Amino acid sequence: MSSDQTKSLQTKLEVATRKYQDLQDELSKTVEGRQRLEAQQVETENVKKEFATLKPSNTIYKLVGPVLLPQDQSEAKSNVEKRLEFISSELKRVDAQIKDIGDQSERVKTEIVQIQTTHQALQQGGAAAVSSS
């Protein structure tokens, strides 16, 4: 086995390993983002449930900076519905992103295994050539 082949395989392995690690880091950050979205969704659904128990005479206040301002009930309910729709669409987008990163990660992992297999085969071939001489 030539030294050039070994160096080439080693370089390819390092690049693939670095890429795999970067994908795993990206996947971890994306999953964390999804968890935050899920928490926001639960919180917003709880607000929606609370709104369902209100009477038309109840006043809803919205926090704007350090001040609580009265807000129209129908506007507040509409805002909560829009927020839930937004969170749902973001969850779908993030799920697709997680799947894509997972697919990329699997392809790189397969590439790493192929490089390692090739490297081992070259080492065994080189060892056999040395032992037969």
Side-chain angles (χ1 to χ4, degrees):
M1 167 174 63
S2 77
S3 173
D4 290 341
Q5 285 177 316
T6 303
K7 286 180 184 176
S8 173
L9 285 174
Q10 190 65 33
T11 302
K12 286 180 184 179
L13 184 61
E14 288 171 8
V15 169
T17 303
R18 198 172 315 115
K19 185 175 181 180
Y20 182 76
Q21 186 60 47
D22 290 346
L23 285 168
Q24 292 301 304
D25 292 344
E26 185 179 352
L27 181 62
S28 176
K29 288 176 187 172
T30 305
V31 168
E32 286 174 16
R34 187 185 195 294
Q35 289 171 339
R36 282 192 298 276
L37 282 171
E38 285 176 330
Q40 290 174 3
Q41 185 179 39
V42 168
E43 183 178 322
T44 306
E45 285 172 350
N46 287 337
V47 170
K48 182 180 176 182
K49 288 176 188 173
E50 286 290 321
F51 280 1
T53 65
L54 294 177
K55 297 179 182 110
S57 61
N58 293 129
T59 305
I60 295 176
Y61 292 92
K62 179 178 183 176
L63 185 63
V64 179
V67 181
L68 283 173
L69 299 175
Q71 186 178 25
D72 180 57
Q73 250 193 53
S74 61
E75 182 183 342
K77 289 178 180 180
S78 173
N79 287 344
V80 168
E81 285 297 327
K82 288 177 186 172
R83 180 107 177 107
L84 280 172
E85 288 172 17
F86 172 77
I87 292 170
S88 291
S89 68
E90 280 297 294
L91 281 170
K92 288 177 185 172
R93 184 187 65 79
V94 169
D95 284 342
Q97 192 176 12
I98 288 171
K99 182 184 180 321
D100 182 51
I101 294 169
D103 292 346
Q104 288 179 34
S105 184
E106 282 303 310
R107 284 193 296 273
V108 172
K109 190 160 62 169
T110 301
E111 180 184 342
I112 289 171
V113 169
Q114 288 173 343
I115 292 169
Q116 289 173 332
T117 303
T118 302
H119 186 258
Q120 287 173 350
L122 286 173
Q123 283 182 327
Q124 289 173 351
V130 170
S131 64
S132 64
S133 39

